[in-house]
């Protein structure tokens, strides 16, 4: 198992250091940390970030509220599709996509991989399809779901116990190398994805937490902006806070057995990759410019 770390389009939320703890200015910086796995079953993508169609047609595909609040940095070179190509693979060789959840910034690249099987928890699928609240209608974007016929849903209950977490289950077709670990709270079907390699387990906790210091076992803390954002987006506060507590315990008790990362923390991403979050995976090239929100690229860039 070889693991590649991809930042599939950063977002720039209003709040600067009140959001990310370090940026000077009005807008902060958050990653969208995805994984590309080389497995015996082919390429596997864990989350997709925003995709090529989001870059080209942001205003048609994404909520105006979140476009204003987060102002994603719409660079085609940072999509999973383009980074996979830069790493020397063909996007059509992505056989499986495993989703932590269906928020627009995690599922926007599904359209770029029409042949892949998409794995997610059934509770997440059901909540996304229902879109019962205004927030749900802004966070879940059906325009990103052309691959819905290939979705494979898993129950949130049952499963096995994994390092103190209940309900873990292997993703179909991937042996025991990739596991769903239910981490309900941010959404009703939110999950972490655990990946086993020669170096131990890597757990991508998705949006179970947002800021690296939330995992401090002695004095956990979060920036004011991200604390409010998590409160605004949560579907089950008690479950979210309990899962954060369990993740802190996992980090403290497992030592080097488990590497824990979330989806949106720049510090964690740069620590584990050794490169800037603004640089795509693969050979170094001159960066493409960010496109204006809703701007359509020329065919050579699409």
């Amino acid at each position: 198992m070889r693991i590649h770390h991809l930042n599939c389009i950063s977002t720039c939320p209003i709040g600067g250091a009140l959001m990310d703890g370090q940026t000077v200015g009005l807008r902060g910086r958050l990653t969208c940390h995805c994984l590309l796995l080389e497995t015996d079953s082919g390429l596997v993508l864990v989350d997709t970030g925003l995709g090529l169609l989001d870059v080209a047609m942001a205003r048609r595909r994404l909520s105006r509220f979140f476009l204003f609040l987060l102002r994603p940095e719409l660079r085609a070179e940072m999509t999973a599709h383009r980074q996979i190509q830069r790493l020397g693979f063909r996007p059509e060789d992505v056989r499986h996509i495993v989703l932590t959840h269906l928020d627009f910034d995690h599922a926007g690249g599904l359209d770029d991989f029409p042949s892949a099987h998409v794995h997610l928890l059934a509770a997440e699928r059901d909540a996304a399809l229902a879109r019962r609240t205004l927030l749900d209608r802004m966070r879940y974007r059906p325009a990103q779901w052309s691959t819905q016929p290939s979705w494979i849903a898993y129950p949130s209950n049952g499963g096995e116990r994994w390092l103190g977490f209940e309900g873990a289950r292997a993703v179909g077709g991937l042996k025991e190398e990739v596991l769903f670990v239910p981490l309900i709270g941010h959404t009703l079907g939110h999950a972490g994805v655990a990946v086993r390699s020669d170096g131990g387990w890597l757990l991508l906790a998705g949006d179970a937490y947002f800021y690296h210091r939330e995992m401090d076992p002695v004095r956990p803390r979060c920036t004011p902006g991200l604390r409010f954002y998590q409160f605004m987006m949560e579907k089950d506060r008690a479950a979210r806070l309990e899962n954060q507590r369990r993740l802190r315990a996992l980090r403290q008790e497992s030592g080097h057995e488990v590497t824990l990362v979330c989806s949106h923390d720049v510090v964690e991403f740069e620590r584990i990759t050794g490169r800037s979050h603004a640089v795509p995976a693969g050979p170094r090239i001159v960066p493409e410019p960010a496109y204006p929100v809703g701007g359509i690229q020329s065919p050579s860039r699409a």
Side-chain angles (χ1 to χ4, degrees), residues 234-250:
E234 68 190 16
K235 301 299 285 187
D236 186 330
R237 180 174 179 77
R240 181 176 70 82
L241 296 178
E242 172 60 15
N243 278 322
Q244 285 190 355
R245 184 195 66 77
R246 295 166 70 204
L247 288 170
R248 283 192 291 271
L250 174 67

Side-chain angles (χ1 to χ4, degrees), residues 153-180:
Y154 298 72
S156 302
N157 52 11
E160 305 292 333
R161 188 173 177 84
W162 179 81
L163 298 180
F165 289 83
E166 303 293 341
R169 61 180 66 243
V171 175
L174 298 176
K175 302 178 182 178
E176 299 292 323
E177 297 178 312
V178 183
L179 308 177
F180 277 118

Side-chain angles (χ1 to χ4, degrees), residues 188-262:
L188 296 176
H190 184 276
V193 178
V195 179
R196 182 168 58 189
S197 67
D198 292 341
W201 287 98
L202 170 69
L203 177 60
L204 179 63
D207 289 3
Y209 69 98
F210 274 67
Y211 187 59
H212 59 282
R213 291 188 176 178
E214 290 182 273
M215 291 297 103
D216 188 316
V218 178
R219 188 173 173 239
R221 68 181 185 88
C222 186
T223 60
L226 287 179
R227 187 183 305 117
F228 175 77
Y229 188 78
Q230 291 183 82
F231 170 77
M232 178 182 76
M233 299 296 288
E234 68 190 16
K235 301 299 285 187
D236 186 330
R237 180 174 179 77
R240 181 176 70 82
L241 296 178
E242 172 60 15
N243 278 322
Q244 285 190 355
R245 184 195 66 77
R246 295 166 70 204
L247 288 170
R248 283 192 291 271
L250 174 67
R251 170 168 281 178
Q252 188 173 25
E253 294 166 4
S254 63
H256 298 293
E257 182 182 357
V258 179
T259 300
L260 177 63
V261 294
C262 69

Side-chain angles (χ1 to χ4, degrees), residues 52-59 74 291-298:
L52 288 170
L53 291 177
D54 298 314
V55 172
M57 300 180 291
R59 285 198 177 99
L74 296 171
Y291 292 91
V293 171
I296 299 178
Q297 302 177 47
S298 66

